[in-house]
Each structure stands twice: as structure tokens, then as C-alpha cells.
Amino acid sequence: MSLPNNVAVTGDCGHVFRAQVWRSVNTKDPELVEKFRLGVLNLVKCPTCGELTDVRAPFLYHDMARGVMIWIYDPDLDDDPVPNLNPELLQTNTAMGAEVISADSFENARSAICELEDQVLFARLRSQNASLTEANI
């Protein structure tokens, strides 16, 4: 299930406003997946100055067909969310065959997700979290 959140955002002008941003996208929502791939999913416009801000909140990309859950985060703003996941939730997901991994770059994750068939890119993401899952893709 894709989930939006209403968060406080500070525009380039310093104005603080509320905006809806997506914290997770499931591949069953093709319109949201496409916006994520294009880098515009969490792009919000300041109502005061009109400038666009890319909100970099930790984000879950869930590809159910491939059994992959990718937590994407900005290391300048947040810690890697995967090690802090509820262990029971992590075990449940891996027991269902889902691989839970993380990526510390939105751009690199978008590239890898756009080309999940490219095993070199995807293997790099998987190797960063090899100890967290035994599931196979």
C-alpha cells in the first residue's frame, strides 16, 4: 500500500508550510511509481515563493513482483532505517520471501529501480545489507 504523509516543509524563502509527501510506494500504484522514477513524486511547491523543494524523507519502495523492499534515505538527514526496523516485521517480510535492503542515495536507488534487471546495480544494493535477509530474488 502506498502511504502519503502531511509534513512541514521549509521553502527556499524560509516559509514553513504543510505538504503531502509519499513515504512509501507499492508497485501496484503505477502512476506513483512513474513519478518516483522521474524524481517528481515528493516535489512540492512553496505557496509563498513558488520554488520547488524535493522532500527527502526516508522512503520505502516496495516491488511486490520481485519481492524487494528498498528503504531509501538521505544520509545527510537520516540514519539507515533498515537496522532500526522492528525485528518481527523484518522476520515476517523475509519469511514471506521479501528482501529488505536500503539505499543511501535517492538518485542511485531510482537508477537501480528503473533497471532492476541490471544485476550489477541491484547486487550492489543487496550486498550492503546481506546480513539482514536470506530471501532470494
Side-chain angles (χ1 to χ4, degrees):
M1 173 187 314
S2 300
L3 299 171
N5 277 12
N6 191 354
V7 300
V9 178
T10 303
D12 289 346
C13 64
H15 176 73
V16 178
F17 60 98
R18 304 291 298 175
Q20 178 177 291
V21 299
W22 294 91
R23 298 296 299 268
S24 71
V25 166
N26 184 308
T27 53
K28 288 187 176 184
D29 294 316
E31 183 179 325
L32 295 177
V33 169
E34 186 62 18
K35 286 182 178 182
F36 174 74
R37 289 179 177 172
L38 294 172
V40 299
L41 181 69
N42 285 333
L43 202 58
V44 297
K45 185 177 182 177
C46 176
T48 301
C49 68
E51 290 297 315
L52 297 175
T53 299
D54 186 10
V55 179
R56 297 284 175 126
F59 179 83
L60 174 64
Y61 182 89
H62 189 187
D63 187 330
M64 296 179 73
R66 290 188 174 84
V68 178
M69 299 174 79
I70 303 174
W71 282 96
I72 307 161
Y73 68 102
D74 184 334
D76 294 333
L77 302 173
D78 299 291
D79 292 328
D80 183 345
V82 172
N84 298 318
L85 289 177
N86 177 321
E88 290 179 17
L89 175 66
L90 193 57
Q91 285 179 336
T92 300
N93 283 307
T94 56
M96 293 183 337
E99 185 165 8
V100 182
I101 59 178
S102 64
D104 64 3
S105 164
F106 281 75
E107 289 76 17
N108 290 344
R110 271 196 282 274
S111 295
I113 289 166
C114 287
E115 300 180 27
L116 276 174
E117 289 78 25
D118 183 337
Q119 293 302 308
V120 173
L121 287 173
F122 194 58
R124 188 176 77 230
L125 289 174
R126 290 178 68 190
S127 68
Q128 291 174 355
N129 296 285
S131 65
L132 296 176
T133 180
E134 295 177 5
N136 295 316
I137 294 179

